[in-house]
């Protein structure tokens, strides 16, 4: 079958196909411990408790590490579609689709297919991954894109009136998505661009700063106030701890929910080159080839400053992970779109970037029938829980249960200590099941070990049955 690579229809169908692939993966891949299952469980608890103000990592235990936007979206989706993987991930697929449509018009302005930027965006590995991961990074990326593109549009001649207000809607959503980091990732590049082009007077004239600030505060401030009132100490932990201590101290001991993430300085650039290939390499090549003409194009300067600021900012931090580059996937896609006409071997390139999503689809499709790999090697307790736990028998987890155990058991599994487990075994009062990490099993006495009968196991845990009969 011949593909007409220069036709609008190809990119439209390709975007639709990529969104379908991501939706399929969202539905069949189990929730992963720790991060993704944790956020999914927080959303599940939200709809159970109907507490839409205080995020909870367990019943009655507040979660102060992140604002609520992503959890609100996941919780609403769970309420609409039921408690399952696709539902809890659906909002991130929707946000990805919204970004595809948000940037399409920039291709039309260069007489290119509307869905070309979206195609490029969805073939960036980092972006395609986070179109289906339960986290705060996709909502932050959407907020950053809304701020930056609205700012650009607001300064154009004959621009629509609403763009100047959408800047501040983006700020408000960003505060609810991940906090003050929205200002750190957007304001400096906008300031640098404005002073470089010497158009700051026009900015103060066209942007409604006072009304805009009121819009931002109206969107975000009520939740911060209500959360601090409900759980005093939140503001200090979230603003000072999560935004300053975490950034400057990779071994920050005050982290209540995560673990130290010590990385080599500058690792963010490695993340960028790996998780945005091959488009970031194409952009770098084009920048180098056209370095003498770049300063003549305001749009290219705007996108480059947007692209460079985030990795420059995180270069000095040792506490980061690869999703921190999500907010700059949009400028990469738009820069690649800008230079698309000058690319050689476009047909080969388009085939190449489709390899990863198509291969992932085929591998997961095969695995969804066999489950030989996911049951044994994927960091999730989904199958251990769903296939071996029922409402007739109480189930415990030695020490702290995983977030995937919490989610898939719908909160019915309880933590238990070695002492309490030994006591239950010796009392012979009830039959029960218990999930134990293989490394922790040896902490039980030999007598207790003999009385526990293994039912099933996964990559690092075994579920045992104890009967008092």
């Amino acid at each position: 079958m011949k593909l007409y690579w220069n036709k609008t229809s190809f990119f439209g169908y390709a975007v639709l196909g990529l969104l379908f692939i991501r939706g399929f993966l969202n539905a069949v891949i189990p929730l992963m411990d720790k991060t993704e299952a944790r956020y999914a469980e927080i959303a599940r608890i939200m709809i159970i408790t109907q507490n839409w103000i205080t995020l909870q990592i367990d019943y009655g235990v507040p979660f102060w590490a992140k604002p609520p936007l992503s959890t609100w979206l996941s919780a609403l989706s769970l309420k609409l579609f039921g408690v399952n993987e696709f539902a809890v991930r659906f909002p991130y697929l929707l946000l990805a689709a919204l970004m595809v449509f948000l940037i399409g018009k920039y291709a039309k302005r260069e007489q290119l297919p509307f869905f070309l930027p979206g195609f490029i965006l969805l073939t960036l590995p980092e972006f395609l991954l986070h179109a289906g991961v339960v986290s705060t990074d996709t909502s932050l990326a959407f907020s950053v894109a809304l701020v930056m593109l609205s700012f650009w549009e607001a300064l154009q001649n004959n621009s629509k009136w609403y763009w100047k207000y959408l800047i501040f809607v983006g700020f408000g959503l960003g505060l609810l998505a991940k906090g003050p980091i929205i200002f750190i990732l957007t304001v400096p590049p906008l300031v640098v661009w404005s002073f470089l082009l010497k158009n700051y007077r026009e900015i103060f004239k066209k942007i409604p700063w006072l009304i805009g600030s009121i819009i931002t505060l109206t969107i975000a401030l009520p939740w911060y106030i209500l959360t601090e009132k409900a759980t005093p100490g939140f503001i200090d932990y979230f603003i000072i701890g999560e935004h300053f201590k975490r950034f400057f101290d990779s071994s920050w001991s005050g982290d209540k929910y995560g673990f130290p993430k010590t990385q080599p300085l500058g690792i963010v650039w490695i993340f960028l080159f790996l998780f945005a290939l091959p488009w970031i390499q194409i952009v770098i090549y084009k920048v180098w080839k056209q370095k003498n003409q770049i300063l003549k194009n305001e749009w290219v300067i705007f996108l480059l400053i947007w692209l460079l600021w985030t990795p420059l900012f995180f270069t000095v931090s040792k506490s980061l992970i690869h999703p921190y580059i999500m907010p700059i996937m949009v400028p990469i896609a738009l820069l690649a779109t800008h230079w698309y006409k000058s690319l050689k071997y476009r047909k080969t390139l388009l085939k190449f970037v489709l390899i990863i999503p198509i291969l992932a689809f085929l591998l997961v499709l095969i695995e969804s029938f066999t489950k030989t790999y996911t049951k044994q090697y994927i960091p999730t307790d989904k199958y251990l829980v769903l296939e071996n736990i029922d409402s007739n028998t109480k189930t415990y987890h030695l020490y702290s249960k995983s977030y995937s155990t919490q989610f898939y058991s719908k909160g019915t599994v309880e933590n238990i200590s070695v002492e309490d487990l030994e006591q239950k075994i010796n009392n012979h009062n009830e039959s029960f099941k218990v999930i134990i990490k293989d490394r922790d099993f040896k902490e039980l006495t030999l007598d207790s070990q003999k009385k526990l009968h293994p039912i099933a196991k996964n990559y690092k845990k075994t579920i045992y049955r104890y009967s008092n009969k």
Side-chain angles (χ1 to χ4, degrees), residues 355-375:
I355 291 175
I356 292 178
I358 292 175
L359 186 61
F361 172 75
L362 293 175
L363 289 175
V364 174
L365 180 63
I366 295 170
E367 179 64 16
S368 66
F369 291 106
T370 63
K371 296 183 177 62
T372 54
Y373 183 81
T374 51
K375 283 188 176 183

Side-chain angles (χ1 to χ4, degrees), residues 22-231:
R22 183 64 259 190
F24 171 79
L25 298 179
N26 290 358
V28 301
I29 294 178
L31 293 169
M32 306 293 181
D33 285 312
K34 299 178 180 177
T35 302
E36 190 185 24
R38 176 177 65 182
Y39 288 122
E41 174 62 5
I42 292 169
R44 190 194 67 82
I45 291 175
M46 179 171 281
I47 62 171
I48 295 298
T49 62
Q50 289 298 294
N51 184 345
W52 296 81
I53 299 299
T54 303
L55 278 63
Q56 299 172 77
I57 199 167
D58 203 347
Y59 295 105
V61 182
F63 179 70
W64 285 349
K66 296 293 184 291
L69 182 58
S70 296
T71 301
W72 284 344
L73 295 174
S74 288
L76 286 171
S77 187
L78 289 174
K79 201 170 183 66
L80 288 172
F81 304 113
V83 179
N84 58 75
E85 295 98 338
F86 178 82
V88 79
R89 289 167 171 155
F90 177 68
Y92 311 97
L93 183 65
L94 185 60
L95 286 173
L98 287 175
M99 282 187 270
V100 166
F101 282 94
L102 182 64
I103 64 178
K105 65 180 180 180
Y106 298 102
K108 297 294 287 184
R109 291 177 182 178
E110 301 196 40
Q111 290 76 52
L112 288 166
F114 178 87
F115 285 107
L116 172 61
F119 173 84
I120 295 173
L121 196 59
L122 287 166
T123 52
L124 287 163
E126 185 69 34
F127 189 86
L128 185 63
L129 173 67
H130 278 85
V133 171
V134 187
S135 72
T136 57
D137 300 290
T138 307
S139 55
L140 176 64
F142 176 81
S143 302
V144 169
L146 186 60
V147 169
M148 299 298 288
L149 296 177
S150 297
F151 183 89
W152 171 265
E153 291 297 325
L155 295 182
Q156 305 309 303
N157 294 327
N158 302 317
S159 64
K160 300 292 185 180
W161 63 270
Y162 49 77
W163 288 110
K164 59 186 178 182
Y165 298 108
L166 285 176
I167 299 170
F168 300 95
V169 172
F171 281 136
L173 293 176
L175 284 170
L176 292 176
K178 212 161 187 177
I181 189 70
I182 183 66
F183 297 115
I184 297 171
L185 297 183
T186 57
V187 174
L190 293 178
V191 170
V192 171
W193 180 78
S194 301
F195 275 90
L196 189 62
L197 270 67
K198 298 180 181 179
N199 63 348
Y200 38 87
R201 289 197 181 101
E202 184 182 5
I203 291 171
F204 280 102
K205 181 180 178 181
K206 288 189 174 182
I207 307 299
W209 296 103
L210 179 59
I211 297 175
S213 299
I214 293 172
I215 291 172
T216 296
L217 292 174
T218 301
I219 292 172
L221 191 58
W223 177 80
Y224 281 84
I225 294 173
L226 291 171
T227 301
E228 177 65 24
K229 184 178 179 180
T231 55

Side-chain angles (χ1 to χ4, degrees), residues 7 26-27 48 67 91 115 174 182 202 218 222 225-226 261 290 296 316 332 334 343 403:
K7 297 293 184 180
N26 290 358
I48 295 298
F115 285 107
I182 183 66
E202 184 182 5
T218 301
I225 294 173
L226 291 171
K261 296 178 281 292
Q290 300 186 18
K296 299 176 183 178
V316 297
I332 292 173
L334 290 174
L343 296 180
Y403 296 112

Side-chain angles (χ1 to χ4, degrees), residues 392-396 414 416 420-421 423-433 465-469:
N392 298 322
T393 307
K394 187 69 180 177
T395 302
Y396 299 95
E414 295 182 8
I416 193 169
D420 289 341
L421 179 58
Q423 186 176 1
K424 283 184 177 294
I425 293 173
N426 294 329
N427 287 345
H428 305 287
N429 290 332
E430 62 171 320
S431 297
F432 60 85
K433 296 175 182 177
R465 181 183 68 253
Y466 170 77
S467 177
N468 62 350
K469 296 179 181 179

